[in-house]
Amino acid sequence: MRAGISYALAEAMDEGHCGLPVEELVPLSEKLLEIPAELVETAIRLSSRAVPSSPTISKAAVASSSLHFTEPRREVAEKLRTLAVGKPPWPSIDVDKAIPWVEQRTKLALADSQKAALRVALVSNVMVITGGPGVGKTTLVNSLLKILRAKSVTIALCAPTGRAAKRLSESTGIEAKTIHRLLETDPRTGTFRRNEEEPLDCDLLVIDETSMVDVPLMRAVLRGLPERAALLLVGDVDQLPSVGPGQVLADIIASASVPAVRLTEVFRQAAESRIIVNAHPSTMA
């Protein structure tokens, strides 16, 4: 029965869930195991895998031992809270001078929303930049990186997939890696070589397509992040959530514990694409 319950939870994880409420898990396991619901409930009660849900949810929930509610998600939350109250590792930057300087270098005029986001990013130790396609996330990130590189800030770029990493490299002119490659996966153990004992060598870590990052992977990233480093999360929160368990980007934004900027203005070139225009919820019927 416990094996069947674990399998049902594993199936739920494949759909992005961190756990299941008891009233959903019991009928699912009952159907899978073809045994009475009472036996399933008994197995859950006797199992140490049953844990109470967060205070905002009144119903009990069950998580697998590999993704206990009180472990990966709490660790991610605590590390992000610590980052949020810290100071960025670069010296104070005069934004009023930096913005015209970077506009001259890129030959692009930043929109007011991008300038406001840049002001926040330059004083934040952790930040989220979100928005749909064509709203200028790439331009904003490039402007930020140019300013910081002029201050000799060491930057590492990564993304969940090889395609996203390649696109990030092309847009920034800086080498970007997949998250797994950046953290140096150890094929013998399936773990990452980069962790608290051997962190990454960077002052700023930028993760693109963060909506695709699940809870275990975000925990691994934060374990490999140096204590002195800042973190920038970029992605479209309206995209489909990660394949793995959790909705990391959406939950971080909803927590309001981390500075988050949502760009909404679709720029002229992007506005000419009907695909991009119709990708934004505000334009849909």
Side-chain angles (χ1 to χ4, degrees):
M1 285 188 289
R2 287 181 176 176
I5 292 169
S6 295
Y7 179 80
L9 289 171
E11 291 285 293
M13 286 173 62
D14 287 341
E15 296 179 2
H17 300 292
C18 291
L20 286 177
V22 172
E23 67 272 14
E24 292 184 27
L25 179 59
V26 169
L28 182 63
S29 301
E30 180 185 11
K31 180 179 179 181
L32 176 67
L33 298 170
E34 297 182 351
I35 60 175
E38 293 78 9
L39 290 179
V40 176
E41 292 172 352
T42 300
I44 292 174
R45 283 197 302 270
L46 295 176
S47 175
S48 61
R49 295 184 179 90
V51 296
S53 61
S54 63
T56 56
I57 305 175
S58 60
K59 299 170 183 176
V62 180
S64 69
S65 58
S66 63
L67 194 69
H68 192 286
F69 270 59
T70 59
E71 292 175 2
R73 296 200 302 174
R74 177 174 292 178
E75 183 178 336
V76 168
E78 288 176 350
K79 292 204 172 189
L80 286 173
R81 278 198 298 265
T82 300
L83 279 171
V85 298
K87 294 183 179 180
W90 49 83
S92 178
I93 296 173
D94 188 335
V95 184
D96 292 329
K97 292 182 179 179
I99 290 176
W101 177 86
V102 78
E103 286 180 323
Q104 184 180 9
R105 294 298 187 281
T106 60
K107 295 181 173 56
L108 292 172
L110 297 175
D112 290 342
S113 58
Q114 292 172 317
K115 292 178 182 178
L118 200 54
R119 291 179 183 276
V120 176
L122 288 172
V123 298
S124 299
N125 201 39
V126 57
M127 180 180 173
V128 174
I129 296 175
T130 188
V135 296
K137 296 193 299 293
T138 299
T139 298
L140 174 57
V141 171
N142 282 343
S143 299
L144 174 64
L145 297 186
K146 284 187 180 296
I147 293 172
L148 293 179
R149 292 184 77 188
K151 297 294 183 179
S152 300
V153 175
T154 304
I155 298 166
L157 306 180
C158 65
T161 66
R163 178 176 293 182
K166 181 180 179 181
R167 191 165 57 244
L168 184 59
S169 296
E170 292 171 348
S171 65
T172 61
I174 305 173
E175 182 188 11
K177 301 177 180 179
T178 64
I179 296 176
H180 288 77
R181 184 183 169 200
L182 182 71
L183 295 178
E184 299 179 17
T185 305
D186 186 342
R188 295 173 301 175
T189 62
T191 59
F192 297 107
R193 293 191 177 98
R194 295 291 187 170
N195 50 37
E196 299 96 333
E197 297 177 358
E198 191 177 348
L200 298 166
D201 182 19
C202 64
D203 299 315
L204 171 67
L205 175 62
V206 180
I207 306 178
D208 197 14
E209 301 291 353
T210 310
S211 63
M212 299 172 65
V213 179
D214 60 23
V215 172
L217 189 55
M218 180 57 74
R219 176 175 61 173
V221 168
L222 293 174
R223 285 180 172 179
L225 187 71
E227 289 185 6
R228 58 179 172 79
L231 178 66
L232 176 62
L233 306 175
V234 185
D236 183 357
V237 72
D238 293 321
Q239 285 184 345
L240 291 174
S242 60
V243 175
Q247 301 181 68
V248 173
L249 184 62
D251 287 346
I252 291 173
I253 294 173
S255 74
S257 299
V258 170
V261 172
R262 181 164 190 156
L263 302 177
T264 57
E265 179 182 353
V266 179
F267 293 96
R268 186 178 64 182
Q269 184 176 1
E272 294 173 357
S273 167
R274 298 307 302 169
I275 294 176
I276 290 178
V277 170
N278 285 290
H280 288 263
S282 61
T283 65
M284 298 180 69

